Amino acid sequence: FRVERDQLVPIIFTSGAKEIVIDYTALITFHRLGLIPKLADIFDAIYYPDILNAVWEEDRQKYKPVQASQERIYEELKDKFERDLINCISLSGLYKGSEPELAVALSEKEGIPLVSAYLEKELVDGKPSVVVIRFNQILTHLYEKGRINESRYLELKRLSSDRESLITNGTDEIFKKADRLVFDSTTLEMAERFELIDTILGLGLKIVVEENVYLGVVRKIREGEYSNKVSLWQKDLQVIVSDLKKMNKKKLFVSEHIAVRSDVIQKNLHVQDILTVETFQMAEKKEVPLFVDDRFLQMQPTKNVTQKQFGSDALIKHLFDMKIISINEYAQAFLKLCE
């Protein structure tokens, strides 16, 4: 803390505190450290604003588990990129624009037909060299070449949907002359979903994408992994907060309604920001220490909270000093915090 006369005061746990208010940042951190059950050994009550339930609901919608079928699509595409079954060409520094615009630019630059189910006609107006093939036209070509049977062809036609074809004649000639096809990201995912990429490659055609399509696949895999992980620990955290009890069967975590100040309401803040304000208001009102891991919030000067803010680093040290956790548990928690 920075207090009067520019004195620096170390942030430490408020010794002897039996009741605290917990901020969402600290709640998440301590859960990830696996130490929330230990809080029942030192506190009688841990308070939080009931608006946190709305924040949890928002996070549940944001971090929904990714469908296994969608995960498979991205993993299979990544594998095909790594095995050079799908090639990337970078237009970085040469062109700027949206992903569909980059696909058009790549098609125009390399003279390769573009396969796109939903590309808007306006994006190729004035570009006579860009040939756009719809996904259904690919299906028809595969069927006519005997690569998929009639029932499979009709099934895929029913499951897929395209915009109106931009070329209606001469598709056989286009396929005959082409040795490469540019795919945009949406159509590439469709082809993988219907397990057609290997079939297309079997025609002797190579699939090419702009580099950002590959980067997008990698990003979606990472986002999916993160979303699945967050979804699991969010669910686990809610169960712990709801069910954790003291030895006397009294619930440890207590939610209470806090009336938001009128000046806060007028600012039309996001629910996450309102949660932060209400957490501070609750600590002020109860005049109890505030457990918070946001460094900025730890140093906020307030009437009843100043020098009563502390974070996970201070609390795990206190747990060790009180012999509630072992030296190994303390070291592991500290290293996780450093990560």
Side-chain angles (χ1 to χ4, degrees):
F1 297 102
R2 187 174 183 176
V3 295
E4 294 180 3
R5 298 179 183 177
D6 286 338
Q7 292 177 320
L8 293 178
V9 179
I11 298 176
I12 60 174
F13 173 71
T14 306
S15 182
K18 289 299 180 182
E19 295 184 348
I20 62 169
V21 170
I22 192 167
D23 178 72
Y24 193 28
T25 58
L27 188 62
I28 291 173
T29 302
F30 233 62
H31 173 57
R32 301 298 290 144
L33 295 176
L35 293 175
I36 282 187
K38 302 292 184 181
L39 299 179
D41 294 334
I42 54 175
F43 298 119
D44 292 333
I46 299 176
Y47 299 99
Y48 65 91
D50 61 4
I51 196 175
L52 176 57
N53 296 315
V55 172
W56 261 327
E57 179 59 33
E58 184 180 80
D59 282 351
R60 272 198 300 270
Q61 298 302 316
K62 186 187 301 181
Y63 300 112
K64 288 182 178 180
V66 180
Q67 290 184 350
S69 59
Q70 196 64 34
E71 281 185 303
R72 182 197 64 78
I73 290 171
Y74 296 136
E75 291 290 351
E76 289 291 338
L77 285 175
K78 183 171 180 286
D79 177 67
K80 287 179 172 64
F81 280 117
E82 291 174 347
R83 291 192 291 135
D84 291 327
L85 297 178
I86 303 175
N87 302 128
C88 297
I89 297 178
S90 175
L91 296 182
S92 177
L94 300 175
Y95 299 89
K96 292 182 179 179
S98 64
E99 191 274 323
E101 289 171 332
L102 288 174
V104 171
L106 178 59
S107 174
E108 185 175 37
K109 178 177 179 292
E110 298 290 326
I112 309 172
L114 169 60
V115 181
S116 177
Y118 305 113
L119 188 78
E120 296 178 352
K121 181 178 180 298
E122 289 73 17
L123 289 180
V124 293
D125 282 346
K127 301 179 187 295
S129 64
V130 178
V131 176
V132 179
I133 301 170
R134 294 304 191 191
F135 187 72
N136 274 320
Q137 291 175 309
I138 283 278
L139 292 179
T140 300
H141 183 67
L142 292 174
Y143 170 61
E144 290 175 348
K145 291 296 181 181
R147 299 290 175 158
I148 55 177
N149 60 35
E150 184 175 4
S151 61
R152 177 70 168 150
Y153 171 61
L154 294 175
E155 177 191 19
L156 293 178
K157 288 269 287 185
R158 179 177 58 82
L159 293 174
S160 62
S161 60
D162 282 346
R163 289 184 183 273
E164 184 181 353
S165 296
L166 299 184
I167 54 171
T168 55
N169 297 309
T171 53
D172 287 341
E173 192 65 24
I174 292 170
F175 283 117
K176 188 181 296 183
K177 291 181 179 180
D179 61 350
R180 295 184 296 171
L181 297 174
V182 174
F183 275 67
D184 61 19
S185 60
T186 302
T187 313
L188 186 69
E189 287 183 28
M190 287 177 63
E192 182 57 46
R193 181 179 299 110
F194 297 139
E195 300 180 349
L196 288 176
I197 288 183
D198 288 336
T199 307
I200 294 169
L201 295 174
L203 291 172
L205 295 167
K206 293 181 179 179
I207 295 177
V208 179
V209 299
E210 204 282 321
E211 186 180 37
N212 280 291
V213 174
Y214 165 71
L215 297 176
V217 168
V218 174
R219 184 179 65 253
K220 287 172 182 176
I221 289 174
R222 290 175 178 169
E223 288 174 351
E225 291 172 347
Y226 178 75
S227 186
N228 287 339
K229 185 182 296 184
V230 171
S231 176
L232 286 173
W233 65 250
Q234 281 277 22
K235 183 178 179 180
D236 184 45
L237 175 58
Q238 285 183 276
V239 171
I240 291 174
V241 169
S242 175
D243 295 347
L244 189 60
K245 294 180 175 64
K246 298 279 293 178
M247 293 293 290
N248 60 6
K249 304 295 181 67
K250 181 181 177 182
K251 288 186 65 173
L252 178 64
F253 287 92
V254 182
S255 67
E256 292 184 0
H257 177 71
I258 294 293
V260 183
R261 299 194 312 264
S262 58
D263 61 314
V264 174
I265 296 175
Q266 291 172 2
K267 292 179 181 178
N268 195 27
L269 298 176
H270 186 271
V271 65
Q272 294 268 7
D273 298 317
I274 295 175
L275 172 60
T276 300
V277 173
E278 288 193 9
T279 303
F280 258 90
Q281 283 186 221
M282 178 176 278
E284 280 276 294
K285 179 181 177 181
K286 292 184 175 295
E287 299 185 21
V288 298
L290 174 61
F291 182 17
V292 55
D293 272 333
D294 187 307
R295 289 299 186 188
F296 176 76
L297 298 179
Q298 285 177 351
M299 296 182 288
Q300 283 298 301
T302 57
K303 181 180 178 181
N304 296 323
V305 179
T306 298
Q307 297 188 46
K308 291 183 181 178
Q309 298 109 305
F310 63 91
S312 292
D313 50 351
L315 187 52
I316 60 173
K317 183 179 184 305
H318 178 72
L319 290 173
F320 172 67
D321 292 341
M322 296 294 291
K323 296 183 171 52
I324 295 173
I325 60 174
S326 67
I327 183 65
N328 287 335
E329 288 174 312
Y330 174 68
Q332 290 172 6
F334 183 79
L335 289 173
K336 281 185 179 180
L337 281 178
C338 292
E339 291 176 3

